[in-house]
Amino acid sequence: MNDIMNIIYSGSKEGKEYFDTLKNRQGKADDRVIEVVEDILKNVREGGDEALTYYTRKFDCPNIDNIKVSKGEIKAAYDKVDKDFIEALKTAKDNIWNFHEKQKENSMLVPSKDGIVMGRIVRALEKVGIYVPGGTAAYPSSVLMNAIPAKVAGVEKIIMTTPPMKDGFVNPNILVAADISGVDEIYKVGGAQAIGALAFGTESVEKVDKIVGPGNIFVAMAKKSVFGFVDIDMIAGPSEILVISDGKGNPEYIAADLMSQAEHDKLASAILVTTSKELAVKVIEELKKQVEKLERKEIILESLKSYGAIIITESIEEAIEIGNIIAPEHLELMLENPFMYLGYVKNAGSVFLGYYAPEPLGDYMAGPNHVLPTSGTARFFSPLSVDDFVKKSSYLYYSENALSEVKDKIVKLAETEGLTAHANSIKVRFKQSRE
Amino acid sequence: MNDIMNIIYSGSKEGKEYFDTLKNRQGKADDRVIEVVEDILKNVREGGDEALTYYTRKFDCPNIDNIKVSKGEIKAAYDKVDKDFIEALKTAKDNIWNFHEKQKENSMLVPSKDGIVMGRIVRALEKVGIYVPGGTAAYPSSVLMNAIPAKVAGVEKIIMTTPPMKDGFVNPNILVAADISGVDEIYKVGGAQAIGALAFGTESVEKVDKIVGPGNIFVAMAKKSVFGFVDIDMIAGPSEILVISDGKGNPEYIAADLMSQAEHDKLASAILVTTSKELAVKVIEELKKQVEKLERKEIILESLKSYGAIIITESIEEAIEIGNIIAPEHLELMLENPFMYLGYVKNAGSVFLGYYAPEPLGDYMAGPNHVLPTSGTARFFSPLSVDDFVKKSSYLYYSENALSEVKDKIVKLAETEGLTAHANSIKVRFKQSRE
């Protein structure tokens, strides 16, 4: 035992208990939250801009008049931010753009016998809403990661909403990131009211086809509630990193990477799975040393203590199997030959390979998206991508001959299902309806 | 006016009212339904098989003992069903399989300068649950349409649940369709309890990664509630067909196709948009004539009267624009040169081209999926496809040189966001932490 994070042997009773702890991190919204959210959504749907202004005054800025960010405000934001920050954002933008360009899918055409042609058409969504949290959770990098895939997909209009600060302005870093990403309109609205505006439309905020972006429990519940009226991105929960290393891993790097995840949130989970007890001990030492210099020390220590762990396994293969069970948001294979193991990875949001691909490289710069499935949902969810901003339509052409070939089988299936109008639609074409 | 369905001029007040009627078709679940569903989910989560058996006895079959369908039952089902039906199912299966094969996406690798390699891996979901309604809504064709894309994707285990009949058996047509589609296990459970079993797992039903398939309001609400624990398919509402035709369309075919959709449901919507008032009148005559011979006459008449319409436009382009606004599940371009107009179609689940591609061809036989976005959600949802049964992981390798090139920019972005542990993870790799 040590006072930083637990060391657990794989297959032990403690190991099982730890898996349960991880699974149960996610809190459920209580009924009161759901009630408040439903009430706000209803009021925005019925009250439009008036309701939006009411809630923005109530929750964010008592004196706000105009909820739309003006061109002047964006221009002013550029003057307020660090030039190196702008340069870094632009490099990130290029890298993100280039990677997401490769994700674009072509429409498809399948020709077949008798003149049959079918396929599916891929089209960008027309309008997309991006929610950006306010306060300390306002991350310019997340604006890039949410907006750029939409732009690459060809979305015509991107509408961003974010709660203003008490003085009525939006964090200038966020405004610059939005402008660089190609966001078209920005509204100073937060919470469930922003989700309501994007889902149902108001006099000034256009109804969108899909809403993406992270938010607090009110935002998350509002998104879940409007799902079906519009599309939403995945449901996000507490996030995690899982580092796999043998005895050759550098404990300094590993400790730093674990803490880069732990600093996000007290509920975040940082896990090292290693074949080396020695390495485990060295990592603990490094954590103790490095954490002292970090601003979010308290959050890091609480996260490591509550939800972090070092798991000792017999082999790297076993370590990867544990990774597949946990299905972490971030998986670092800090191994000499990481590509040898990539094929064994089944469940992970993003995989970081080798000694020089730390999580923050992916969070900020490399190109793959940092909006990733959390809390084990990598079993079925995928990183945010261009896929999320397109829709598909199938199409189908049959010649008279081609239809004639299968007409009896269609009629048989329709009649077996008791759908005689379906059968009739085939029969009238071959005059069987008058037999 | 006539007593079958309204004829409306595009742009008129009646037109606008009709659009509103369409939009408001979808009912919201009342609080009582939500309460019942949450209660059932909780009991199944805690009670497992015992709860499942309790609910199956209560709602479906009072004397049931074993909720798992045996191999013997499947074998017996083959003896009970029509041989021509089996042949038709097999042809449909081949066509569906071949079309969905073309949807498979390769994993991707993007090499870049300084040894950078990144990309994303496409993998099948491991386990999928398919819900199949009982009673009159038990459609063997839907079993094929839900299960085959999962099989093509490479899903390892497909678990089907469906409520048994009062005698404890499952409709043999459904069992044969499931067997032909490659479903691995079948359980006799329906309603919210089936969704709970698939989402949380019980002693006999394994927890799955995704649940697909249509159901009543209890099933739909249960799916929405478990979304996040598992993935679900799109939220389905009342469905529609929209036929576009100029004066050359065959009124007999058009009337038949409209009714093939109308017979599904009193809430279904069948719409003809045409440039020809003459055609409209002839279609009305055909509807009156043909409906007399159809088993579901009452449903058809109620659907046409309540939610059907013939809309008269000035041009085909305008007709297509109306289609884009309504975003119908099924769009028939019953035109001489339908491909000339395909590029203008923005929002539709599936497009049927020409005179010999009626909706039932797509419902049963051609290959494209018949699980399509309904109620205007084609603006953002897509037909069910192989895409729905895979997940993606991104991966990322950087050399030391490559990371060194961007290290300062990553640190700048991290520090601007106040995330010093993120910055630290870069710094330790270049010993900047000790500066």
Short mmCIF file of all heavy atoms in Angstrom, two decimals, chain A residues 23-48:
data_model
loop_
_atom_site.label_atom_id
_atom_site.label_comp_id
_atom_site.label_asym_id
_atom_site.label_seq_id
_atom_site.Cartn_x
_atom_site.Cartn_y
_atom_site.Cartn_z
N LYS A 23 -16.78 0.75 -13.00
CA LYS A 23 -18.08 0.67 -13.66
C LYS A 23 -19.10 1.59 -13.01
O LYS A 23 -19.97 2.14 -13.68
CB LYS A 23 -18.61 -0.77 -13.60
CG LYS A 23 -18.44 -1.54 -14.89
CD LYS A 23 -19.21 -2.85 -14.80
CE LYS A 23 -18.27 -4.03 -15.06
NZ LYS A 23 -18.82 -5.30 -14.57
N ASN A 24 -18.98 1.73 -11.69
CA ASN A 24 -20.00 2.48 -10.96
C ASN A 24 -19.67 3.95 -10.76
O ASN A 24 -20.33 4.64 -10.02
CB ASN A 24 -20.28 1.81 -9.62
CG ASN A 24 -20.84 0.42 -9.80
OD1 ASN A 24 -21.61 0.19 -10.73
ND2 ASN A 24 -20.44 -0.51 -8.95
N ARG A 25 -18.60 4.41 -11.46
CA ARG A 25 -18.25 5.82 -11.35
C ARG A 25 -19.38 6.73 -11.81
O ARG A 25 -19.62 7.79 -11.26
CB ARG A 25 -17.04 6.13 -12.25
CG ARG A 25 -15.70 6.05 -11.56
CD ARG A 25 -14.63 6.51 -12.51
NE ARG A 25 -14.70 5.79 -13.78
CZ ARG A 25 -14.10 6.18 -14.90
NH1 ARG A 25 -13.39 7.30 -14.91
NH2 ARG A 25 -14.19 5.49 -16.01
N GLN A 26 -20.03 6.31 -12.89
CA GLN A 26 -21.00 7.19 -13.53
C GLN A 26 -22.25 7.38 -12.66
O GLN A 26 -22.95 6.43 -12.36
CB GLN A 26 -21.39 6.58 -14.87
CG GLN A 26 -22.11 7.55 -15.77
CD GLN A 26 -21.93 7.16 -17.23
OE1 GLN A 26 -21.50 6.07 -17.55
NE2 GLN A 26 -22.26 8.07 -18.12
N GLY A 27 -22.51 8.61 -12.28
CA GLY A 27 -23.70 8.87 -11.50
C GLY A 27 -24.92 8.98 -12.40
O GLY A 27 -24.80 9.30 -13.57
N LYS A 28 -26.07 8.66 -11.88
CA LYS A 28 -27.29 8.87 -12.65
C LYS A 28 -27.90 10.21 -12.26
O LYS A 28 -27.84 10.62 -11.11
CB LYS A 28 -28.29 7.73 -12.37
CG LYS A 28 -28.46 6.80 -13.56
CD LYS A 28 -29.81 6.10 -13.54
CE LYS A 28 -30.55 6.29 -14.86
NZ LYS A 28 -31.82 5.59 -14.91
N ALA A 29 -28.49 10.89 -13.22
CA ALA A 29 -29.12 12.16 -12.91
C ALA A 29 -30.30 11.91 -11.99
O ALA A 29 -31.04 10.95 -12.18
CB ALA A 29 -29.60 12.81 -14.20
N ASP A 30 -30.47 12.74 -10.99
CA ASP A 30 -31.63 12.52 -10.14
C ASP A 30 -32.87 13.15 -10.79
O ASP A 30 -32.78 13.88 -11.75
CB ASP A 30 -31.38 13.03 -8.71
CG ASP A 30 -31.14 14.52 -8.65
OD1 ASP A 30 -31.66 15.24 -9.53
OD2 ASP A 30 -30.43 14.96 -7.74
N ASP A 31 -34.01 12.80 -10.24
CA ASP A 31 -35.27 13.21 -10.84
C ASP A 31 -35.41 14.73 -10.90
O ASP A 31 -36.05 15.27 -11.79
CB ASP A 31 -36.44 12.62 -10.05
CG ASP A 31 -36.51 11.10 -10.22
OD1 ASP A 31 -35.82 10.59 -11.13
OD2 ASP A 31 -37.24 10.45 -9.46
N ARG A 32 -34.80 15.40 -9.91
CA ARG A 32 -34.93 16.85 -9.87
C ARG A 32 -34.26 17.48 -11.10
O ARG A 32 -34.79 18.37 -11.73
CB ARG A 32 -34.28 17.39 -8.59
CG ARG A 32 -34.80 18.76 -8.15
CD ARG A 32 -33.89 19.35 -7.09
NE ARG A 32 -32.48 19.35 -7.51
CZ ARG A 32 -31.94 20.31 -8.26
NH1 ARG A 32 -32.64 21.32 -8.67
NH2 ARG A 32 -30.65 20.24 -8.58
N VAL A 33 -33.07 16.96 -11.45
CA VAL A 33 -32.37 17.46 -12.64
C VAL A 33 -33.23 17.26 -13.88
O VAL A 33 -33.42 18.17 -14.69
CB VAL A 33 -31.00 16.76 -12.82
CG1 VAL A 33 -30.38 17.14 -14.16
CG2 VAL A 33 -30.06 17.11 -11.68
N ILE A 34 -33.79 16.06 -14.01
CA ILE A 34 -34.62 15.76 -15.18
C ILE A 34 -35.81 16.71 -15.24
O ILE A 34 -36.15 17.23 -16.31
CB ILE A 34 -35.08 14.28 -15.15
CG1 ILE A 34 -33.83 13.38 -15.28
CG2 ILE A 34 -36.08 13.98 -16.23
CD1 ILE A 34 -34.10 11.90 -15.11
N GLU A 35 -36.43 16.97 -14.11
CA GLU A 35 -37.57 17.88 -14.06
C GLU A 35 -37.20 19.29 -14.50
O GLU A 35 -37.90 19.92 -15.31
CB GLU A 35 -38.09 17.96 -12.62
CG GLU A 35 -39.54 17.60 -12.46
CD GLU A 35 -39.88 17.53 -10.98
OE1 GLU A 35 -39.93 18.60 -10.34
OE2 GLU A 35 -40.06 16.40 -10.47
N VAL A 36 -36.09 19.78 -13.95
CA VAL A 36 -35.62 21.13 -14.31
C VAL A 36 -35.34 21.21 -15.80
O VAL A 36 -35.75 22.16 -16.49
CB VAL A 36 -34.34 21.49 -13.50
CG1 VAL A 36 -33.70 22.76 -14.04
CG2 VAL A 36 -34.66 21.65 -12.02
N VAL A 37 -34.66 20.19 -16.32
CA VAL A 37 -34.29 20.18 -17.74
C VAL A 37 -35.54 20.18 -18.62
O VAL A 37 -35.65 20.96 -19.57
CB VAL A 37 -33.40 18.94 -18.05
CG1 VAL A 37 -33.33 18.68 -19.54
CG2 VAL A 37 -32.00 19.16 -17.47
N GLU A 38 -36.51 19.33 -18.29
CA GLU A 38 -37.73 19.26 -19.10
C GLU A 38 -38.48 20.59 -19.08
O GLU A 38 -39.05 21.03 -20.09
CB GLU A 38 -38.65 18.13 -18.61
CG GLU A 38 -38.11 16.73 -18.87
CD GLU A 38 -37.85 16.43 -20.35
OE1 GLU A 38 -38.53 17.02 -21.22
OE2 GLU A 38 -36.94 15.62 -20.63
N ASP A 39 -38.46 21.23 -17.93
CA ASP A 39 -39.13 22.51 -17.77
C ASP A 39 -38.46 23.58 -18.67
O ASP A 39 -39.13 24.34 -19.37
CB ASP A 39 -39.04 22.91 -16.29
CG ASP A 39 -40.00 24.02 -15.96
OD1 ASP A 39 -41.19 23.89 -16.33
OD2 ASP A 39 -39.57 25.02 -15.35
N ILE A 40 -37.14 23.62 -18.62
CA ILE A 40 -36.40 24.59 -19.44
C ILE A 40 -36.64 24.33 -20.92
O ILE A 40 -36.91 25.25 -21.70
CB ILE A 40 -34.88 24.54 -19.11
CG1 ILE A 40 -34.63 25.06 -17.68
CG2 ILE A 40 -34.08 25.35 -20.12
CD1 ILE A 40 -33.18 24.92 -17.21
N LEU A 41 -36.57 23.07 -21.32
CA LEU A 41 -36.77 22.73 -22.74
C LEU A 41 -38.15 23.19 -23.21
O LEU A 41 -38.29 23.77 -24.28
CB LEU A 41 -36.62 21.21 -22.96
CG LEU A 41 -35.20 20.65 -22.83
CD1 LEU A 41 -35.22 19.13 -22.98
CD2 LEU A 41 -34.26 21.26 -23.87
N LYS A 42 -39.15 22.94 -22.38
CA LYS A 42 -40.52 23.31 -22.73
C LYS A 42 -40.63 24.83 -22.88
O LYS A 42 -41.22 25.34 -23.84
CB LYS A 42 -41.47 22.79 -21.65
CG LYS A 42 -42.94 23.04 -21.92
CD LYS A 42 -43.79 22.23 -20.94
CE LYS A 42 -45.24 22.67 -20.98
NZ LYS A 42 -45.50 23.94 -20.24
N ASN A 43 -40.05 25.54 -21.93
CA ASN A 43 -40.14 27.01 -21.97
C ASN A 43 -39.42 27.60 -23.18
O ASN A 43 -39.89 28.56 -23.78
CB ASN A 43 -39.58 27.61 -20.68
CG ASN A 43 -40.50 27.34 -19.51
OD1 ASN A 43 -41.69 27.04 -19.69
ND2 ASN A 43 -39.96 27.43 -18.30
N VAL A 44 -38.27 27.01 -23.53
CA VAL A 44 -37.55 27.51 -24.71
C VAL A 44 -38.31 27.20 -25.98
O VAL A 44 -38.43 28.03 -26.89
CB VAL A 44 -36.12 26.92 -24.76
CG1 VAL A 44 -35.46 27.22 -26.10
CG2 VAL A 44 -35.28 27.45 -23.61
N ARG A 45 -38.89 26.00 -26.03
CA ARG A 45 -39.65 25.61 -27.21
C ARG A 45 -40.84 26.56 -27.44
O ARG A 45 -41.15 26.94 -28.55
CB ARG A 45 -40.15 24.17 -27.03
CG ARG A 45 -40.68 23.56 -28.28
CD ARG A 45 -40.99 22.09 -28.10
NE ARG A 45 -41.27 21.50 -29.37
CZ ARG A 45 -41.52 20.21 -29.57
NH1 ARG A 45 -41.49 19.38 -28.57
NH2 ARG A 45 -41.78 19.75 -30.77
N GLU A 46 -41.47 26.93 -26.32
CA GLU A 46 -42.66 27.78 -26.44
C GLU A 46 -42.30 29.26 -26.45
O GLU A 46 -42.96 30.06 -27.12
CB GLU A 46 -43.63 27.48 -25.29
CG GLU A 46 -44.28 26.12 -25.45
CD GLU A 46 -44.99 25.65 -24.17
OE1 GLU A 46 -45.03 26.43 -23.19
OE2 GLU A 46 -45.49 24.51 -24.17
N GLY A 47 -41.27 29.63 -25.69
CA GLY A 47 -41.00 31.06 -25.49
C GLY A 47 -39.93 31.63 -26.41
O GLY A 47 -39.77 32.85 -26.49
N GLY A 48 -39.15 30.78 -27.07
CA GLY A 48 -38.15 31.26 -28.02
C GLY A 48 -37.12 32.17 -27.39
O GLY A 48 -36.69 31.96 -26.25
#
